[in-house]
Amino acid sequence: MAIYDRLLTPLRVGATLLPNRMVMGAMHTRLETLDRPHERLAAFYAARAAGEIGLILSGGFSPNPEGVMETGGPLFNRAEQIDEHRAVTRAVHESGGRIVLQILHAGRYAKVPECVGPTGAKARINAYAPRALSTQEVRATIDDFARTAALAVQAGYDGVEIMGSEGYLINEFTAAVTNARDDEFGGSFAGRIRFALDIVRAVRAQMGREPMLIYRISSIDLVEGGMSGVEIAAFAKEIEAAGADLINTGVGWHESAVPTIAACVPRAAWRDAIRNVKEAVSIPVMASNRINTPEVAEELIASGVADLVSMARPLLADPDFAKKTRLGMADEINTCIGCNQACLDRIFTERTATCLVNPRAGREIEFAAGKALQPKRIAVVGGGPAGMAFAINAAERGHTLTLFEAHARLGGQLNLAKVVPGKAEFHEMLRYFEVRLKRLGVTLRLGQAATADELASEAFDEIIIATGVIPRMPDIVGADHPKAVSYIDVLAGQVEVGARVAIVGAGGIGFDVAEYLLGDALESLDRGAFFRAWGVDPANADAGGLTRSDAHGAPRRSVHMFQRKEEPLGKGLGKSTGWILKARLRKARVMMTSGVTYDAIDDEGLHYRVDGKPHVLAVDHVVLCAGQNSNRKLYDELVARAAKPKVIGGADVAAELDALRAIDQATRLAMTM
Ligand code: NAP
Ligand code: SF4
């Protein structure tokens, strides 16, 4: 059993003693947009506090109306709001935790027409251009930060975190590229950092010595004209002198063209930038970004990179992360796989955050815990995400479970996902499922396709069908030609794919196959390979930490993707990760054609038409990624025998199936039994 001595060692931060070095990082959940928002937020954070996380950082609250993330976004600037916040701080404290309020002014990223910035220069990721703040308004904004800090303390928060990274207002002042001001808050290095330092001083003066003051610094900007490593170290020293108790680290701006937290980023990739801050100051420094296991966290502290670790998404995935670490149950942690599907992608599309691997996240008040009144014997057929999630949740409620899986190993479609470059974290999802199934005593019948006779003979109380999907065979002449292969055979490594490939179908699987055929599995595992691929200088010698090198070797294959729809390929990909995938495929010179009609696959290759004009693409293989149909054979047989099975996951509805929907549906069904 691994021991996490350093992670579990208490740490004094200012006047506060934290029981361990694990911190839940700030994350905007949009729970405030639902009914009973304060009750939901209180339950959400209380669950993490009960899970023994050392400290919680709230999602960001703007100190004034022009700094909100979006219209109606979190804002804390009036005494009348104190009671709403007290509901949260009380719930956290009663569960044994500590919570600080993050103050975030979104600056020119604020998606509101009245947004402001150091200058009037527009961010490429915002439709609204900011209005340049006058000197007087800059001073008023500093006062706004201080007022919100005072309100936070009155509301029972243990302190505040000042958000100075990710390209928001304060970061826009510190970087030369966005600060061309000619008053005392611009120009020289000293001028650019004055806004941040004045905020820290004003907040400290308002709060007094006792509450925690955390400053989140941008440890590497990843934009041209950002700060250099030398400047960042000097700035960190000034932040310490201005009165901060702890420095948290951020990585990159939201407009950076480098991925910073997606699954394709190696774990703890940003250690050099964080160490640069740590070596400059004597107060504690917190590491962040792509830290998702106790092993990674412990190593960062052991190697002197940081004193604590901040994890936001991993605490969505498992509220008991810290408790399981303390109890030696790290292998039972439901690990964040960095997919962004249910958290960031939902927030960026104006929905509320939850978690793909933990559908309870953010919906704590909807999921009643507890044992079933009447324990049952339940058969689950299918060992993919839906079947495994159902079995675990039902077993936790006290039922006796038998899980049938036709293949020799569990996982279903997850076994295909985990071989795609950048998706190695799916191994952790499988590990979690396997360990939990074993600990809960679920009987596994692997390599055994359950039959209707067998299920009938064992007289189960309930039968759950989670038999998944079967690939759709497109109606193309020659779809059975030897050149035509299924994505399953490709991802399972059963086909020696040639150098020239056509991909029919450009959904999530089509893109996965393209990445598999062209991508570099090392990129998400090896920091050097990742930095080379994305042009990052981890030492940040030059301003911003970019190398401007865009050297790409010849792609290992020639790949051409097709779809029948007229729209651009990849429209349905995740908002926070689709751009990464498309950028990589662009670099690998992948051709993408939409609005096609398929004519045939034959010895010559793929015959297709665009606008009625015929084309032939000479290829070695055509990979069919044309979606899936539900595998309901067993379900239909059981229904025909008057049994009453329940069906979940892809076997229920194949269209737009993903692990998020499968796990959510399975978990909800288990709660009803
Ligand atoms: P999908 O998203 O439904 O895409 C199927 C593709 O095949 C579409 O591009 C469609 O485009 C094409 N197609 C459909 N019927 C066809 C036919 N009869 N002949 C030729 N082409 C046809 O399915 P998928 O790619 O298999 O993915 C399945 C699910 O897994 C999706 O919900 C997906 O989101 C999820 N997934 C997600 C990820 C991720 O990273 N988030 C990765 C993999 C899979 P046209 O109809 O325009 O030709
Ligand atoms: Fe992590 Fe994905 Fe869950 Fe987000 S949805 S917390 S990235 S596992």
Side-chain angles (χ1 to χ4, degrees), residues 313 316-317 335-343 354-357:
R313 295 172 300 166
L316 282 188
T335 305
C336 164
I337 58 169
C339 65
N340 290 352
Q341 257 176 269
C343 52
T354 180
C355 173
L356 180 140
V357 301

Side-chain angles (χ1 to χ4, degrees), residues 330-383:
D331 62 347
E332 289 190 53
I333 289 176
N334 199 359
T335 305
C336 164
I337 58 169
C339 65
N340 290 352
Q341 257 176 269
C343 52
L344 298 186
D345 285 347
R346 291 177 63 97
I347 294 167
F348 293 158
T349 48
E350 296 178 9
R351 292 173 289 167
T352 51
T354 180
C355 173
L356 180 140
V357 301
N358 174 25
R360 289 180 174 80
R363 291 122 164 226
E364 283 73 12
I365 62 174
E366 293 167 31
F367 284 89
K371 297 281 178 194
L373 292 175
Q374 195 188 351
K376 295 177 179 173
R377 289 180 60 248
I378 305 178
V380 181
V381 185

Side-chain angles (χ1 to χ4, degrees), residues 34-49:
L34 299 179
D35 62 323
R36 298 149 74 195
H38 311 301
E39 195 187 333
R40 286 175 189 276
L41 274 169
F44 172 68
Y45 287 124
R48 275 78 197 158

Side-chain angles (χ1 to χ4, degrees), residues 26-28 45 58-62 69 73-75 101-104 163:
M27 186 154 180
H28 182 202
Y45 287 124
S58 79
F61 282 80
S62 177
M69 297 283 288
L75 169 68
L101 179 95
Q102 189 190 67
I103 312 179
L104 183 160
M163 177 46 146

Side-chain angles (χ1 to χ4, degrees), residues 482-501 516-517 557 619-623:
K483 277 182 192 269
V485 290
S486 157
Y487 71 87
I488 293 194
D489 295 335
V490 172
L491 294 176
Q494 284 168 3
V495 184
E496 191 81 27
V497 180
R500 300 164 309 159
V501 185
Y516 176 78
L517 295 174
R557 286 189 176 88
V619 289
D620 304 307
H621 285 104
V622 178
V623 186

Side-chain angles (χ1 to χ4, degrees), residues 426-466:
F426 276 89
H427 284 280
E428 297 290 353
M429 193 168 162
L430 265 171
R431 183 262 310 145
Y432 167 76
F433 278 132
E434 283 170 352
V435 171
R436 284 299 291 157
L437 288 167
K438 189 166 170 214
R439 301 266 153 88
L440 288 161
V442 172
T443 303
L444 297 180
R445 304 246 187 110
L446 301 182
Q448 190 177 342
T451 62
D453 283 343
E454 192 178 3
L455 292 169
S457 72
E458 296 199 33
F460 290 104
D461 300 318
E462 299 275 0
I463 299 173
I464 311 299
I465 300 296

Side-chain angles (χ1 to χ4, degrees), residues 339 341 345 356 413 417 420 423 426 469 471-476 487 491 504-513 562-567 569-570 572-574 577 581 594-596 598 624-628 654-659 661:
C339 65
Q341 257 176 269
D345 285 347
L356 180 140
Q413 302 272 316
V420 175
K423 293 200 165 181
F426 276 89
V469 291
R472 180 185 293 135
M473 191 65 154
D475 187 16
I476 304 174
Y487 71 87
L491 294 176
V504 165
I509 303 268
F511 273 88
D512 271 0
V513 166
F562 294 91
Q563 75 178 16
R564 298 171 304 175
K565 285 186 281 296
E566 294 281 355
E567 65 190 37
L569 274 73
L573 295 173
T577 51
L581 197 46
S594 55
V596 303
Y598 303 109
L624 305 175
C625 307
Q628 294 105 359
E656 289 172 20
L657 170 74
D658 57 18
R661 198 186 82 207

Side-chain angles (χ1 to χ4, degrees), residues 145-166:
F145 271 87
R147 181 187 53 208
T148 297
L151 292 172
V153 174
Q154 288 173 54
Y157 286 100
D158 299 281
V160 298
E161 176 176 74
I162 297 165
M163 177 46 146
S165 66
E166 324 303 295

